[in-house]
Amino acid sequence: MTKEPTSKKQRKYFEASSVDALRARMRLFIIIIGILLFCIYFLVNRSQKHWLIIMDEASQEKYYQVEVQPGDEVEFYWIHSVEHISWIELFTIDDSYEFLLQEIRFEGFGAGIPHDRGKEVKVEDGYIIMTDIEEKYPAYDWINSHTATEKITFNGEKIASGKDLPHHGYMKMVIQER
């Protein structure tokens, strides 16, 4: 039991000190809540990562996965089914974690081969190169072939070849957040 102040001066002092104590507790409470919110934000954002995944579209079996950042590069090397020429597609991962087609390289024109993609066309080392294409893809789908899919690279390193994946399998390369 607390002793009640008896004089006006004591009551005024008691009320002032109670208000100051309440304000101090409120400031401490706000600081603690702020620290907790910062920690939660930091932990949630730190734990969310983006992964490039190569998987079988039907079974959802994953064959390869790697953490990605904006600016990472993915190259897809394959043999054109009609013309039987090498074809290379260069993608970068953009800020929204989608595939951004930057460039295609192929050894000649023929059936189904575009003649007007990108902003620049040049010939280099036996390849026709179309650059600055800037087409976005949320995923890359293909029917795999042990002979047509040469390889897939991530930042210059081979991550898969057609022989590593199911022959005639419906494959998907996608970026997922986890």
Side-chain angles (χ1 to χ4, degrees), residues 61-81:
E61 182 177 348
K62 293 180 176 106
Y63 290 91
Y64 184 81
Q65 58 186 0
V66 63
E67 185 179 351
V68 295
Q69 301 294 325
D72 285 340
E73 293 184 348
V74 178
E75 284 184 303
F76 197 92
Y77 295 73
W78 54 282
I79 304 295
H80 191 278
S81 62

Side-chain angles (χ1 to χ4, degrees), residues 16 20 23 26 31 46 49 51 63 79 84 110 118 144 170 172:
D20 289 341
R23 285 184 183 149
M26 286 299 290
I31 290 169
R46 185 179 172 148
K49 296 179 180 181
W51 297 86
Y63 290 91
I79 304 295
H84 302 286
N144 187 57
Y170 289 88
K172 182 174 210 138

Side-chain angles (χ1 to χ4, degrees), residues 19-33:
V19 170
D20 289 341
L22 181 60
R23 285 184 183 149
R25 282 188 289 234
M26 286 299 290
R27 279 193 293 267
L28 181 60
F29 178 74
I30 290 169
I31 290 169
I32 290 171
I33 293 297

Side-chain angles (χ1 to χ4, degrees), residues 75 86-90 103-107 122 124-125 127-130:
E75 284 184 303
S86 293
W87 184 292
I88 304 165
E89 295 169 312
L90 169 65
E103 172 182 296
I104 55 175
R105 293 173 176 249
F106 46 89
E107 295 176 316
K122 60 186 174 184
E124 193 176 283
D125 297 327
Y127 280 93
I128 299 164
I129 304 168
M130 296 181 179

Side-chain angles (χ1 to χ4, degrees), residues 106-146:
F106 46 89
E107 295 176 316
F109 288 105
I113 297 176
H115 67 282
D116 60 353
R117 298 207 34 212
K119 295 177 184 166
E120 183 183 346
V121 179
K122 60 186 174 184
V123 177
E124 193 176 283
D125 297 327
Y127 280 93
I128 299 164
I129 304 168
M130 296 181 179
T131 61
D132 297 320
I133 299 171
E134 306 290 322
E135 292 176 359
K136 278 189 166 195
Y137 296 89
Y140 186 92
D141 301 301
W142 77 100
I143 298 172
N144 187 57
S145 165
H146 286 175

Side-chain angles (χ1 to χ4, degrees), residues 23-65:
R23 285 184 183 149
R25 282 188 289 234
M26 286 299 290
R27 279 193 293 267
L28 181 60
F29 178 74
I30 290 169
I31 290 169
I32 290 171
I33 293 297
I35 291 170
L36 285 173
L37 289 174
F38 176 77
C39 290
I40 290 169
Y41 174 80
F42 180 75
L43 290 173
V44 167
N45 284 333
R46 185 179 172 148
S47 66
Q48 292 178 342
K49 296 179 180 181
H50 291 82
W51 297 86
L52 178 139
I53 299 169
I54 297 174
M55 63 184 184
D56 184 294
E57 197 164 3
S59 70
Q60 301 294 301
E61 182 177 348
K62 293 180 176 106
Y63 290 91
Y64 184 81
Q65 58 186 0

